[in-house]
Short mmCIF file of all heavy atoms in Angstrom, two decimals:
data_model
loop_
_atom_site.label_atom_id
_atom_site.label_comp_id
_atom_site.label_asym_id
_atom_site.label_seq_id
_atom_site.Cartn_x
_atom_site.Cartn_y
_atom_site.Cartn_z
N TYR A 1 57.83 117.39 120.84
CA TYR A 1 59.03 117.95 121.44
C TYR A 1 58.71 118.34 122.86
O TYR A 1 57.78 119.11 123.11
CB TYR A 1 59.52 119.17 120.65
CG TYR A 1 60.73 119.83 121.28
CD1 TYR A 1 61.98 119.26 121.17
CD2 TYR A 1 60.57 121.01 122.02
CE1 TYR A 1 63.09 119.85 121.77
CE2 TYR A 1 61.64 121.61 122.62
CZ TYR A 1 62.92 121.01 122.49
OH TYR A 1 63.99 121.59 123.09
N ASN A 2 59.46 117.77 123.83
CA ASN A 2 59.26 118.09 125.22
C ASN A 2 60.23 119.20 125.58
O ASN A 2 61.44 119.06 125.36
CB ASN A 2 59.55 116.87 126.11
CG ASN A 2 58.50 115.80 125.92
OD1 ASN A 2 57.30 116.08 126.02
ND2 ASN A 2 58.92 114.58 125.67
N LEU A 3 59.71 120.26 126.12
CA LEU A 3 60.59 121.38 126.56
C LEU A 3 61.41 120.93 127.77
O LEU A 3 60.91 120.22 128.63
CB LEU A 3 59.76 122.62 126.92
CG LEU A 3 59.33 123.47 125.72
CD1 LEU A 3 58.26 122.82 124.91
CD2 LEU A 3 58.92 124.82 126.18
N SER A 4 62.63 121.34 127.81
CA SER A 4 63.53 120.89 128.87
C SER A 4 63.18 121.57 130.21
O SER A 4 62.57 122.63 130.24
CB SER A 4 64.99 121.22 128.50
OG SER A 4 65.18 122.62 128.51
N ALA A 5 63.63 120.95 131.31
CA ALA A 5 63.38 121.52 132.63
C ALA A 5 64.09 122.87 132.78
O ALA A 5 63.54 123.77 133.44
CB ALA A 5 63.87 120.52 133.70
N ASN A 6 65.23 123.04 132.15
CA ASN A 6 65.93 124.34 132.22
C ASN A 6 65.09 125.43 131.58
O ASN A 6 65.06 126.58 132.05
CB ASN A 6 67.26 124.26 131.48
CG ASN A 6 68.23 123.37 132.22
OD1 ASN A 6 68.07 123.13 133.41
ND2 ASN A 6 69.28 122.91 131.51
N THR A 7 64.39 125.12 130.51
CA THR A 7 63.54 126.11 129.84
C THR A 7 62.37 126.50 130.70
O THR A 7 61.91 127.65 130.69
CB THR A 7 63.04 125.58 128.49
OG1 THR A 7 64.16 125.14 127.72
CG2 THR A 7 62.25 126.57 127.73
N LEU A 8 61.88 125.57 131.51
CA LEU A 8 60.66 125.79 132.28
C LEU A 8 60.93 126.26 133.71
O LEU A 8 60.00 126.56 134.45
CB LEU A 8 59.86 124.46 132.34
CG LEU A 8 59.41 123.90 131.01
CD1 LEU A 8 58.76 122.56 131.22
CD2 LEU A 8 58.46 124.85 130.33
N GLU A 9 62.18 126.35 134.17
CA GLU A 9 62.46 126.60 135.59
C GLU A 9 61.94 127.96 136.07
O GLU A 9 61.62 128.11 137.25
CB GLU A 9 63.97 126.51 135.87
CG GLU A 9 64.84 127.50 135.19
CD GLU A 9 66.32 127.23 135.41
OE1 GLU A 9 66.71 126.10 135.74
OE2 GLU A 9 67.08 128.16 135.24
N ARG A 10 61.82 128.97 135.24
CA ARG A 10 61.32 130.27 135.66
C ARG A 10 59.78 130.40 135.48
O ARG A 10 59.23 131.45 135.77
CB ARG A 10 62.00 131.39 134.87
CG ARG A 10 63.42 131.53 135.21
CD ARG A 10 63.98 132.75 134.56
NE ARG A 10 65.36 132.43 134.11
CZ ARG A 10 66.07 133.20 133.37
NH1 ARG A 10 65.58 134.33 132.94
NH2 ARG A 10 67.27 132.85 133.02
N LEU A 11 59.15 129.34 134.96
CA LEU A 11 57.71 129.40 134.74
C LEU A 11 56.96 128.57 135.78
O LEU A 11 57.55 127.63 136.35
CB LEU A 11 57.39 128.86 133.35
CG LEU A 11 58.01 129.63 132.16
CD1 LEU A 11 57.75 128.89 130.85
CD2 LEU A 11 57.44 131.02 132.09
N PRO A 12 55.71 128.87 136.04
CA PRO A 12 54.97 128.11 137.05
C PRO A 12 54.41 126.77 136.51
O PRO A 12 53.32 126.35 136.91
CB PRO A 12 53.83 129.07 137.44
CG PRO A 12 53.56 129.84 136.19
CD PRO A 12 54.91 129.99 135.54
N ILE A 13 55.11 126.11 135.61
CA ILE A 13 54.66 124.84 135.08
C ILE A 13 55.76 123.77 135.24
O ILE A 13 56.91 124.11 135.28
CB ILE A 13 54.24 124.96 133.58
CG1 ILE A 13 55.37 125.53 132.75
CG2 ILE A 13 53.01 125.80 133.46
CD1 ILE A 13 55.03 125.61 131.27
N ASN A 14 55.35 122.53 135.38
CA ASN A 14 56.30 121.43 135.56
C ASN A 14 56.79 120.81 134.26
O ASN A 14 57.92 120.36 134.18
CB ASN A 14 55.66 120.33 136.42
CG ASN A 14 55.33 120.79 137.81
OD1 ASN A 14 56.00 121.69 138.34
ND2 ASN A 14 54.31 120.21 138.40
N ARG A 15 55.89 120.74 133.30
CA ARG A 15 56.25 120.15 132.02
C ARG A 15 55.46 120.79 130.90
O ARG A 15 54.35 121.32 131.13
CB ARG A 15 56.04 118.63 132.04
CG ARG A 15 54.61 118.21 132.18
CD ARG A 15 54.48 116.66 132.29
NE ARG A 15 53.10 116.27 132.34
CZ ARG A 15 52.28 116.42 133.35
NH1 ARG A 15 52.73 116.94 134.49
NH2 ARG A 15 51.03 116.06 133.28
N ALA A 16 56.02 120.73 129.68
CA ALA A 16 55.31 121.28 128.51
C ALA A 16 55.84 120.58 127.28
O ALA A 16 57.03 120.18 127.19
CB ALA A 16 55.54 122.78 128.40
N SER A 17 54.95 120.36 126.33
CA SER A 17 55.35 119.74 125.07
C SER A 17 54.51 120.33 123.94
O SER A 17 53.43 120.85 124.14
CB SER A 17 55.17 118.23 125.12
OG SER A 17 53.80 117.88 125.25
N VAL A 18 55.11 120.27 122.75
CA VAL A 18 54.43 120.71 121.54
C VAL A 18 54.47 119.57 120.55
O VAL A 18 55.51 118.91 120.37
CB VAL A 18 55.15 121.95 120.95
CG1 VAL A 18 54.50 122.39 119.65
CG2 VAL A 18 55.17 123.09 121.96
N SER A 19 53.33 119.27 119.94
CA SER A 19 53.26 118.11 118.98
C SER A 19 52.66 118.56 117.66
O SER A 19 51.74 119.38 117.62
CB SER A 19 52.37 117.02 119.58
OG SER A 19 52.86 116.57 120.81
N LEU A 20 53.14 117.97 116.59
CA LEU A 20 52.50 118.06 115.27
C LEU A 20 51.86 116.72 115.04
O LEU A 20 52.47 115.64 115.26
CB LEU A 20 53.55 118.33 114.19
CG LEU A 20 54.26 119.66 114.30
CD1 LEU A 20 55.35 119.76 113.22
CD2 LEU A 20 53.28 120.80 114.18
N VAL A 21 50.60 116.73 114.59
CA VAL A 21 49.83 115.49 114.44
C VAL A 21 49.28 115.42 113.02
O VAL A 21 48.78 116.41 112.47
CB VAL A 21 48.63 115.46 115.45
CG1 VAL A 21 47.84 114.19 115.29
CG2 VAL A 21 49.13 115.60 116.86
N ALA A 22 49.39 114.24 112.43
CA ALA A 22 48.79 113.98 111.12
C ALA A 22 47.92 112.73 111.20
O ALA A 22 48.40 111.68 111.66
CB ALA A 22 49.88 113.78 110.07
N MET A 23 46.66 112.83 110.80
CA MET A 23 45.78 111.68 110.78
C MET A 23 45.59 111.26 109.32
O MET A 23 45.37 112.08 108.45
CB MET A 23 44.39 112.06 111.38
CG MET A 23 44.50 112.51 112.83
SD MET A 23 45.09 111.25 113.95
CE MET A 23 43.76 110.12 113.94
N ASN A 24 45.76 109.95 109.08
CA ASN A 24 45.65 109.36 107.72
C ASN A 24 46.57 110.03 106.73
O ASN A 24 46.17 110.37 105.60
CB ASN A 24 44.20 109.43 107.21
CG ASN A 24 43.25 108.69 108.10
OD1 ASN A 24 43.55 107.56 108.51
ND2 ASN A 24 42.11 109.27 108.39
N PRO A 25 47.86 110.22 107.07
CA PRO A 25 48.75 110.94 106.15
C PRO A 25 49.13 110.14 104.92
O PRO A 25 49.45 110.69 103.88
CB PRO A 25 49.99 111.23 106.99
CG PRO A 25 50.00 110.18 108.04
CD PRO A 25 48.56 109.88 108.33
N LEU A 26 49.07 108.80 104.97
CA LEU A 26 49.57 108.04 103.83
C LEU A 26 48.90 106.68 103.72
O LEU A 26 48.91 105.88 104.66
CB LEU A 26 51.07 107.84 103.99
CG LEU A 26 51.82 107.13 102.91
CD1 LEU A 26 51.70 107.88 101.56
CD2 LEU A 26 53.28 106.97 103.27
N LEU A 27 48.30 106.43 102.54
CA LEU A 27 47.82 105.07 102.21
C LEU A 27 48.96 104.42 101.44
O LEU A 27 49.20 104.77 100.28
CB LEU A 27 46.55 105.14 101.38
CG LEU A 27 45.95 103.82 100.92
CD1 LEU A 27 45.58 102.93 102.10
CD2 LEU A 27 44.76 104.05 100.04
N ILE A 28 49.68 103.52 102.08
CA ILE A 28 50.87 102.95 101.50
C ILE A 28 50.52 101.93 100.40
O ILE A 28 51.13 101.90 99.34
CB ILE A 28 51.74 102.27 102.60
CG1 ILE A 28 52.18 103.35 103.59
CG2 ILE A 28 52.93 101.53 102.01
CD1 ILE A 28 52.73 102.80 104.88
N TYR A 29 49.50 101.11 100.67
CA TYR A 29 49.09 100.09 99.70
C TYR A 29 47.60 99.84 99.84
O TYR A 29 47.07 99.74 100.94
CB TYR A 29 49.85 98.78 99.97
CG TYR A 29 49.27 97.59 99.25
CD1 TYR A 29 49.50 97.40 97.91
CD2 TYR A 29 48.45 96.69 99.92
CE1 TYR A 29 48.94 96.32 97.26
CE2 TYR A 29 47.89 95.61 99.29
CZ TYR A 29 48.13 95.43 97.94
OH TYR A 29 47.56 94.36 97.28
N SER A 30 46.96 99.73 98.70
CA SER A 30 45.56 99.28 98.64
C SER A 30 45.42 98.33 97.49
O SER A 30 45.92 98.59 96.39
CB SER A 30 44.62 100.48 98.45
OG SER A 30 43.29 100.03 98.27
N SER A 31 44.74 97.22 97.73
CA SER A 31 44.58 96.24 96.64
C SER A 31 43.61 96.69 95.59
O SER A 31 43.52 96.09 94.52
CB SER A 31 44.10 94.91 97.25
OG SER A 31 42.88 95.06 97.91
N VAL A 32 42.89 97.78 95.83
CA VAL A 32 41.93 98.31 94.89
C VAL A 32 42.35 99.74 94.56
O VAL A 32 42.47 100.57 95.46
CB VAL A 32 40.50 98.33 95.48
CG1 VAL A 32 39.50 98.82 94.47
CG2 VAL A 32 40.12 96.96 96.01
N ASP A 33 42.58 100.03 93.27
CA ASP A 33 42.96 101.37 92.87
C ASP A 33 41.87 102.38 93.20
O ASP A 33 40.69 102.14 92.94
CB ASP A 33 43.23 101.42 91.34
CG ASP A 33 44.51 100.70 90.97
OD1 ASP A 33 45.39 100.57 91.86
OD2 ASP A 33 44.64 100.31 89.82
N GLY A 34 42.28 103.50 93.76
CA GLY A 34 41.37 104.61 93.99
C GLY A 34 40.47 104.44 95.19
O GLY A 34 39.54 105.26 95.37
N VAL A 35 40.68 103.42 96.00
CA VAL A 35 39.78 103.22 97.13
C VAL A 35 40.61 102.96 98.38
O VAL A 35 41.61 102.23 98.37
CB VAL A 35 38.87 101.97 96.90
CG1 VAL A 35 38.04 101.64 98.13
CG2 VAL A 35 37.99 102.17 95.71
N ASP A 36 40.25 103.60 99.47
CA ASP A 36 40.82 103.36 100.76
C ASP A 36 39.89 102.40 101.49
O ASP A 36 38.83 102.81 101.95
CB ASP A 36 40.95 104.67 101.54
CG ASP A 36 41.48 104.49 102.97
OD1 ASP A 36 41.70 103.32 103.38
OD2 ASP A 36 41.67 105.48 103.64
N PRO A 37 40.22 101.10 101.56
CA PRO A 37 39.30 100.13 102.18
C PRO A 37 38.88 100.50 103.60
O PRO A 37 37.78 100.18 104.00
CB PRO A 37 40.09 98.81 102.14
CG PRO A 37 41.05 98.98 101.02
CD PRO A 37 41.41 100.44 101.03
N SER A 38 39.74 101.17 104.35
CA SER A 38 39.36 101.53 105.71
C SER A 38 38.25 102.54 105.75
O SER A 38 37.51 102.65 106.73
CB SER A 38 40.55 102.03 106.48
OG SER A 38 41.00 103.27 106.03
N ALA A 39 38.06 103.32 104.68
CA ALA A 39 37.01 104.32 104.66
C ALA A 39 35.65 103.75 104.29
O ALA A 39 34.64 104.38 104.52
CB ALA A 39 37.36 105.42 103.64
N ILE A 40 35.62 102.55 103.73
CA ILE A 40 34.31 101.95 103.32
C ILE A 40 33.90 100.77 104.19
O ILE A 40 32.90 100.16 103.95
CB ILE A 40 34.34 101.54 101.83
CG1 ILE A 40 35.37 100.49 101.57
CG2 ILE A 40 34.49 102.74 100.96
CD1 ILE A 40 35.31 99.91 100.16
N GLN A 41 34.69 100.45 105.19
CA GLN A 41 34.30 99.37 106.09
C GLN A 41 33.31 99.95 107.07
O GLN A 41 33.66 100.62 108.01
CB GLN A 41 35.53 98.81 106.78
CG GLN A 41 36.46 98.17 105.75
CD GLN A 41 37.80 97.80 106.36
OE1 GLN A 41 38.06 98.04 107.50
NE2 GLN A 41 38.60 97.13 105.56
N ASN A 42 32.04 99.66 106.83
CA ASN A 42 31.02 100.50 107.41
C ASN A 42 29.99 99.78 108.30
O ASN A 42 28.81 100.10 108.27
CB ASN A 42 30.25 101.19 106.27
CG ASN A 42 29.65 100.22 105.29
OD1 ASN A 42 29.73 99.01 105.46
ND2 ASN A 42 29.05 100.74 104.25
N ASN A 43 30.38 98.79 109.05
CA ASN A 43 29.40 98.27 109.99
C ASN A 43 29.96 98.20 111.40
O ASN A 43 31.08 98.64 111.66
CB ASN A 43 28.87 96.88 109.52
CG ASN A 43 29.90 95.80 109.59
OD1 ASN A 43 30.93 95.96 110.22
ND2 ASN A 43 29.61 94.67 108.98
N ALA A 44 29.19 97.67 112.31
CA ALA A 44 29.57 97.74 113.73
C ALA A 44 30.87 97.07 114.06
O ALA A 44 31.55 97.47 115.01
CB ALA A 44 28.43 97.11 114.54
N THR A 45 31.28 96.05 113.31
CA THR A 45 32.53 95.34 113.61
C THR A 45 33.71 96.04 112.95
O THR A 45 34.82 95.60 113.11
CB THR A 45 32.46 93.88 113.13
OG1 THR A 45 32.33 93.88 111.70
CG2 THR A 45 31.33 93.11 113.78
N GLY A 46 33.46 97.09 112.18
CA GLY A 46 34.54 97.79 111.50
C GLY A 46 34.87 97.21 110.15
O GLY A 46 35.74 97.69 109.46
N PHE A 47 34.18 96.16 109.75
CA PHE A 47 34.45 95.55 108.45
C PHE A 47 33.14 95.18 107.82
O PHE A 47 32.42 94.29 108.30
CB PHE A 47 35.34 94.32 108.58
CG PHE A 47 35.81 93.82 107.25
CD1 PHE A 47 36.89 94.40 106.63
CD2 PHE A 47 35.11 92.81 106.59
CE1 PHE A 47 37.32 93.99 105.40
CE2 PHE A 47 35.52 92.40 105.35
CZ PHE A 47 36.63 92.98 104.73
N GLY A 48 32.78 95.84 106.73
CA GLY A 48 31.57 95.53 106.01
C GLY A 48 31.94 94.84 104.71
O GLY A 48 33.09 94.82 104.31
#
């Protein structure tokens, strides 16, 4: 969410934003039950 310019006009800042972030929130499909293939791909190329 970016704060509007009207909200910031009395403050000494030009822009401000607030973000909610989720990393790895959902494994939609995996061909192997109980395993996240991205978590076990373990070599330099990203795929073991």
Side-chain angles (χ1 to χ4, degrees):
Y1 176 76
N2 292 309
L3 279 73
S4 69
N6 292 340
T7 306
L8 300 174
E9 66 186 20
R10 291 189 218 171
L11 299 173
I13 56 177
N14 296 332
R15 66 184 184 284
S17 64
V18 177
S19 301
L20 297 176
V21 180
M23 301 298 290
N24 300 316
L26 182 61
L27 179 60
I28 298 166
Y29 166 78
S30 174
S31 60
V32 184
D33 288 337
V35 175
D36 176 357
S38 69
I40 62 173
Q41 296 171 356
N42 57 4
N43 70 14
T45 63
F47 189 83

